[in-house]
Amino acid sequence: MGVMPVNKLLITMSFPMMVSMLVQALYNIVDSIFVAQICENALTAVSMAFPLQTLMIGVSIGTGVGVNAILSKALGEKNFDRANKAAENGVFLALVSYIVFLLIGIFAVGPFYRSQTTDPEITKMGTDYLTVCLVTSFGIFGQTMFERLLTSTGRTFLTMITQGTGAIINIILDPIFIFGLCGMPRLGVKGAAVATVIGQIIAAIFAIYMNKTRNPDIEMHFKGFKPDAGLIKEIYIIGVPSIIMQCIGSIMTYTMNRILISFSSTAVAVFGVYFKLQSFIFMPVFGLNGGTVPIIAYNFGARSKERLVKTWKLAWFYATTIMLVGTVLFETIPAKMFSLFKASDDMLAIGIPALRIIGVHFPVAAFCIVTGTLFQALGKSVYSMITSIMRQLVVLIPAAILLSMLGNVVYVWWAFPIAEVMSAAVTIFYFFKIKKDIIDNI
């Protein structure tokens, strides 16, 4: 990570993760495509699960971001003992996080759904789905953490294999458990959750195996292990802002669901479909970021300013290119996208303008996402957190509430590009601050 040409290194590090993220986005879409075949309420039920699912994934990824940055920086400094301790404490934190979401899955799912809808069918299907996802979430926490360890040492191809394996298993099992094929019982919406967690658990096992046999840069020894409070604090100093950003995203999604349900359950289903479709655009960018973080963190530790800056610029260019493709798709073929989800005429009437309005902000989001990754890699995740708070809580939600008062759901979608423009302004401000305080002094 310190000598390979930067463009080649970024592609080598990021491409496998982008491919695996694309596969994950594909199985997210396939999940909803199969669920939509049951009924529109089933799609709405799954859409309403997003806030807690986003929070769960955010905690796992945020913790992984902290471990990733510290571990890569330690390797850049040739401090191998610190790198090993970061890995051990990261695995410990993944276990603690699972226990928290196990309790949420047991006690909080029912009240969570009843706070969003009074429809008993949506509540029943959603509770069945989300309970399975949370109670057996040890798979996603294990998968995320051990894949981050592979990423931290530059073994992103192995990460692609583990993620891809889990996603493919999920895609194969979805119709089997949802519709009761191959002699299995018909589980409906619950079957989608069962397929998902099985894929996650197998991916986690595979990731553990890869670390044990193919990752000699990290040696974990848990005999006599004691959590290192100082190191855990450092992990969360970097990771908590990312977690908080996901919490904010959960609050945003939950609030948007409540705003949209006042129009119709179809509007909530449209919002859910949008999230599935945009993941196909955003997930490759997140994969690009996954390869970017260790390169920037390593070269920050190695005090290589030129390589650090070039990595950020190239990542921004590639992210913008991906996002422009997304904008073109959302503007030109929204009806065909919705046809994948057995869309009714009502869903098309709401969904087509929604995609066209929201899609205009994608290129702006590219800059915000990649630059937020720069903040995280340099240990300034709090800047990303503040930007996210400003975008989703200070601007997006109030804008959505005010626009909903106009009485037409179409106006609500404009809250997204409005919030992204504000986010770009705040991101630019923090970029120049971090350039002056850190980058220029390397």
Side-chain angles (χ1 to χ4, degrees), residues 13-14 17 68 148 151 156 285-294 373:
M13 291 282 289
S14 300
M17 298 186 70
N68 197 344
R148 283 287 174 171
T151 302
T156 53
V285 176
F286 294 147
L288 175 68
N289 287 348
T292 302
V293 168
T373 298

Side-chain angles (χ1 to χ4, degrees), residues 353-373:
L355 293 192
R356 285 178 172 158
I357 291 168
I358 297 174
V360 299
H361 83 264
F362 287 176
V364 180
F367 168 77
C368 298
I369 293 169
V370 171
T371 306
T373 298

Side-chain angles (χ1 to χ4, degrees), residues 119-435:
D119 189 312
E121 183 181 35
I122 293 175
T123 300
K124 173 66 168 60
M125 288 190 291
T127 301
D128 288 346
Y129 174 83
L130 190 54
T131 299
V132 172
C133 290
L134 297 182
V135 169
T136 52
S137 60
F138 57 87
I140 187 63
F141 283 106
Q143 176 187 353
T144 302
M145 182 53 62
F146 282 97
E147 285 176 349
R148 283 287 174 171
L149 299 184
L150 292 171
T151 302
S152 299
T153 58
R155 292 171 173 82
T156 53
F157 179 76
L158 299 181
T159 301
M160 180 186 73
I161 294 175
T162 60
Q163 289 183 339
T165 300
I168 292 170
I169 289 171
N170 187 357
I171 292 171
I172 293 172
L173 294 182
D174 258 336
I176 293 175
F177 286 115
I178 292 173
F179 303 116
L181 307 179
C182 303
M184 299 300 295
R186 182 186 177 93
L187 299 178
V189 174
K190 188 176 183 179
V194 172
T196 296
V197 298
I198 290 175
Q200 291 168 347
I201 292 169
I202 293 176
I205 293 171
F206 208 3
I208 292 170
Y209 173 78
M210 289 293 187
N211 272 281
K212 188 71 175 177
T213 61
R214 306 286 292 277
N215 194 2
D217 293 326
I218 299 175
E219 295 182 5
M220 290 180 285
H221 305 287
F222 290 99
K223 185 177 181 180
F225 168 78
K226 291 183 179 180
D228 186 323
L231 195 54
I232 289 174
K233 180 180 178 181
E234 290 184 53
I235 290 171
Y236 279 131
I237 285 174
I238 297 172
V240 162
S242 179
I243 294 171
I244 291 176
M245 285 190 288
Q246 292 297 328
C247 291
I248 293 165
S250 296
I251 294 170
M252 181 277 290
T253 307
Y254 176 81
T255 306
M256 285 296 296
N257 282 341
R258 295 199 60 168
I259 293 170
L260 294 170
I261 199 71
S262 67
F263 290 96
S264 67
S265 61
T266 301
V268 176
V270 166
F271 188 47
V273 169
Y274 156 70
F275 260 102
K276 296 292 185 178
L277 292 173
Q278 64 95 21
S279 71
F280 207 70
I281 309 301
F282 279 70
M283 290 292 263
V285 176
F286 294 147
L288 175 68
N289 287 348
T292 302
V293 168
I295 298 173
I296 292 177
Y298 184 99
N299 285 285
F300 179 42
R303 314 303 292 172
S304 179
K305 175 182 175 180
E306 181 182 354
R307 291 176 63 82
L308 185 157
V309 172
K310 189 172 183 179
T311 300
W312 169 73
K313 288 181 178 179
L314 285 168
W316 179 15
F317 170 76
Y318 290 132
T320 301
T321 302
I322 294 168
M323 289 296 199
L324 283 171
V325 172
T327 297
V328 171
L329 293 175
F330 271 48
E331 298 300 324
T332 57
I333 57 169
K336 291 183 179 180
M337 290 180 170
F338 269 99
S339 67
L340 296 172
F341 300 87
K342 201 178 179 181
S344 63
D345 290 340
D346 287 343
M347 184 177 286
L348 289 173
I350 297 173
I352 290 174
L355 293 192
R356 285 178 172 158
I357 291 168
I358 297 174
V360 299
H361 83 264
F362 287 176
V364 180
F367 168 77
C368 298
I369 293 169
V370 171
T371 306
T373 298
L374 173 70
F375 299 159
Q376 293 173 346
L378 297 180
K380 294 293 183 179
S381 296
V382 68
Y383 294 167
S384 298
M385 179 186 72
I386 293 172
T387 303
S388 186
I389 291 173
M390 293 290 291
R391 180 177 67 248
Q392 299 189 74
L393 296 188
V394 178
V395 178
L396 194 152
I397 290 301
I401 292 172
L402 290 173
L403 291 168
S404 71
M405 293 178 181
L406 297 176
N408 189 330
V409 70
V410 172
Y411 296 125
V412 175
W413 311 119
W414 281 105
F416 287 90
I418 290 170
E420 201 62 55
V421 170
M422 186 286 307
S423 174
V426 177
T427 300
I428 290 170
F429 170 79
Y430 279 124
F431 170 75
F432 282 109
K433 179 174 174 56
I434 208 169
K435 181 178 183 296

